[in-house]
Amino acid sequence: MEKKSNVFGIRLKELRRKKGESQEDTAKAIGISRARYSHYENNHVEPDMDLIRKFADYFNVDTDYLMGRRSSPSIHNTDFDSLAELKKTVDDLGIQDIFFHNIDDWKKLDRDDIEDIKQYIEFIQQKAKKRKD
């Protein structure tokens, strides 16, 4: 196994290359600058846990693999369809029409993201109901 201090950047670079992306592509998908991404890949700085989770979700691996605690990745469940879950949530809440901009970004959502959206929509519905009452 790689040296613990360098493993994160090494794995980040391997995963990015395996995906056939440039640093710019990956950084944009994660929502950070290319320069910032480069610092992580070159082990100049360490990301916080939220960013580590984003990288793990984006590359479809577990955080333990990224951090060097495992020698092989545990692949996330790829059966989850975020768009189908969003549609189900919208239907269950009785929303007639909803328009999603940039559909590729919506496809990247995980189960927790969908649950957050559902709770937020329910919160807004309750807020509107209280306002009417």
Side-chain angles (χ1 to χ4, degrees):
M1 191 152 61
E2 298 91 350
K3 268 180 64 179
K4 186 81 165 153
S5 61
N6 294 329
V7 71
F8 182 82
I10 291 168
R11 293 209 170 143
L12 208 56
K13 185 182 286 188
E14 286 173 355
L15 290 165
R16 175 182 59 79
R17 287 180 172 169
K18 187 175 182 182
K19 201 167 182 155
E21 292 185 345
S22 67
Q23 286 186 345
E24 183 72 32
D25 295 332
T26 302
K28 186 176 180 180
I30 297 293
I32 60 175
S33 70
R34 192 225 37 96
R36 184 173 170 202
Y37 176 84
S38 177
H39 286 302
Y40 297 128
E41 200 172 272
N42 292 306
N43 292 298
H44 293 281
V45 293
E46 292 184 12
D48 61 29
M49 273 311 297
D50 287 336
L51 195 53
I52 292 169
R53 285 185 195 108
K54 281 185 181 181
F55 283 126
D57 289 344
Y58 183 71
F59 289 117
N60 199 29
V61 297
D62 61 294
T63 56
D64 281 349
Y65 174 73
L66 280 176
M67 299 304 296
R69 296 181 66 190
R70 289 183 173 211
S71 58
S72 62
S74 171
I75 305 299
H76 291 170
N77 182 357
T78 56
D79 294 337
F80 181 72
D81 183 346
S82 62
L83 294 179
E85 286 297 318
L86 276 172
K87 181 176 179 352
K88 181 181 179 317
T89 298
V90 168
D91 291 345
D92 290 349
L93 293 170
I95 299 170
Q96 298 299 317
D97 285 315
I98 194 162
F99 185 77
F100 297 112
H101 296 280
N102 196 351
I103 201 81
D104 289 331
D105 287 340
W106 291 99
K107 289 178 181 178
K108 295 174 187 171
L109 300 177
D110 64 15
R111 292 178 199 280
D112 290 336
D113 297 328
I114 300 298
E115 186 59 32
D116 288 345
I117 290 169
K118 181 179 179 181
Q119 289 176 3
Y120 185 73
I121 291 171
E122 289 171 345
F123 167 76
I124 296 300
Q125 286 176 326
Q126 290 298 319
K127 186 176 167 184
K129 183 179 178 191
K130 285 180 183 177
R131 194 173 45 243
K132 285 183 181 180
D133 294 342

